Amino acid sequence: MDHYEELAHGFFEEMRQYRGFMPRQDDVSALMRGEMAVLRLLDDEQRRVSAGDLSRLLEMTTSRVAAVLNSLEKKGLIERSADTADRRRVLVAMTKSGAALCAHRKACARRRLAAIFERLGQEDTDQFIRLIRRIAQISESLGACAPESGKQGKGGCL
């Protein structure tokens, strides 16, 4: 393993132990794997989204999406309806309760991140944000990772 691969390994280990900056809360721990991702996507889209599009956009199997949607519907966080243009398509939208949960989570995340940035200080926060932007640009220039293609760079996995 070369030096940069060791650094990448160390980064993944730190991120695995860190597990995000949102603390466990009762409303969150009751959510199953994938539910918050669906709610965030619906919140971002601000429109009804088909179950098939959720599967594609979240890179989840259709059976996984169906299980997540069943659970979210039982909790009153989403509602499903048939597409009026194509009755075979199921459209998904957030309920007021789902939107409230997303708003609450966003507010918690913003407050926690603001507290982290306050402890980091202005200079370190500015440098962190600059580096995150640079990482995003470099990652975008490398393209998608498709290990089965055996290619490097664009369309491949370095």
Side-chain angles (χ1 to χ4, degrees):
M1 194 177 337
D2 74 12
H3 176 67
Y4 289 109
E5 286 179 3
E6 286 178 25
L7 290 172
H9 177 75
F11 172 79
F12 284 129
E13 281 299 306
E14 288 297 322
M15 296 309 333
R16 186 183 61 76
Q17 290 178 18
Y18 179 60
R19 298 192 193 266
F21 59 85
M22 283 302 296
R24 281 256 179 244
Q25 298 173 356
D26 290 338
D27 64 344
V28 177
S29 60
L31 293 176
M32 64 187 276
R33 197 173 130 245
E35 288 183 348
M36 206 60 224
V38 168
L39 291 175
R40 277 193 306 265
L41 191 137
L42 291 172
D43 188 52
D44 288 347
E45 293 292 320
Q46 292 293 306
R47 64 179 174 89
R48 293 183 178 275
V49 178
S50 75
D53 286 344
L54 287 171
S55 176
R56 182 180 50 78
L57 292 167
L58 295 172
E59 299 179 348
M60 288 182 176
T61 64
T62 54
S63 61
R64 181 75 196 133
V65 168
V68 168
L69 294 179
N70 286 337
S71 178
L72 288 171
E73 193 170 41
K74 284 179 188 171
K75 294 173 184 172
L77 300 173
I78 60 122
E79 59 186 11
R80 292 186 269 196
S81 60
D83 186 343
T84 55
D86 181 353
R87 304 286 296 166
R88 295 170 298 176
R89 278 178 35 127
V90 174
L91 297 177
V92 181
M94 262 198 304
T95 62
K96 287 182 182 178
S97 295
L101 177 62
C102 281
H104 172 74
R105 296 273 297 149
K106 279 184 192 177
C108 287
R110 246 189 327 274
R111 283 191 307 271
R112 189 165 179 89
L113 196 53
I116 290 168
F117 287 164
E118 183 179 356
R119 289 187 182 180
L120 272 176
Q122 185 69 47
E123 187 177 329
D124 284 346
T125 299
D126 289 344
Q127 186 173 357
F128 171 75
I129 291 170
R130 182 186 65 76
L131 289 171
I132 289 292
R133 286 182 180 138
R134 184 144 185 248
I135 288 167
Q137 290 168 347
I138 292 168
S139 181
E140 181 69 25
S141 74
L142 292 173
C145 184
E148 66 278 359
S149 72
K151 296 180 185 173
Q152 298 288 318
K154 291 280 186 193
C157 193
L158 297 176

